[in-house]
Amino acid sequence: QMQLVESGGGSVQAGGSLRLSCAAFGYTYSAHSMGWFRQAPGKERQGVAHIYTGGGGTYYADSVKGRFTITYDNAKNTLYLQMDSLKPEDTAMYYCAATYRTLIGSNRVDPARYDTWGQGTQVTVSS
């Protein structure tokens, strides 16, 4: 069984940057796809970015393209999300997730396709 632990959230002003981390523990070999999601109060969980842990490209939601970068360090079994040019609408609880599935297309940021979730880390962006 795999566990995910996020860190790196916080409060920043608009235009600032944050870097989120997600450390994977346990049986990490099953995580072929990993992603970042976010959920604001009263809203559905939204896919932000996806990466194949074995390499092969990334996928971003339109709302974060050009501002966020997802990476995965195989040696450390850690997923990252570099967030630049943050906007107040980026305020949410951010979660990392993993699945054994090799996702394609928009499934890559579909929360229903993921099996394992972290506990979340809060990101607040003030104007």
Side-chain angles (χ1 to χ4, degrees):
Q1 191 172 356
M2 179 170 53
Q3 292 182 321
L4 302 174
V5 180
E6 300 101 332
S7 61
S11 297
V12 295
Q13 291 192 327
S17 298
L18 282 174
R19 187 194 194 203
L20 305 183
S21 299
C22 171
F25 302 93
Y27 191 68
T28 61
Y29 296 102
S30 62
H32 292 173
S33 292
M34 295 191 75
W36 285 100
F37 297 80
R38 66 188 182 186
Q39 188 167 18
K43 295 188 176 181
E44 293 186 351
R45 192 164 295 188
Q46 174 192 30
V48 173
H50 164 278
I51 192 168
Y52 294 119
T53 58
T58 56
Y59 185 96
Y60 297 93
D62 288 343
S63 58
V64 305
K65 278 181 182 177
R67 301 189 298 121
F68 290 10
T69 304
I70 187 172
T71 56
Y72 183 74
D73 187 330
N74 273 289
K76 296 181 179 180
N77 291 326
T78 300
L79 180 73
Y80 300 97
L81 185 69
Q82 177 66 41
M83 305 186 294
D84 299 318
S85 302
L86 282 162
K87 304 175 181 180
E89 50 264 43
D90 294 318
T91 295
M93 184 71 79
Y94 282 72
Y95 300 88
C96 66
T99 179
Y100 65 90
R101 301 176 178 89
T102 301
L103 303 175
I104 60 174
S106 59
N107 287 337
R108 297 169 74 170
V109 288
D110 180 354
R113 306 295 177 178
Y114 287 77
D115 316 296
T116 303
W117 292 84
Q119 82 288 352
T121 186
Q122 178 67 37
V123 171
T124 302
V125 184
S126 58
S127 57

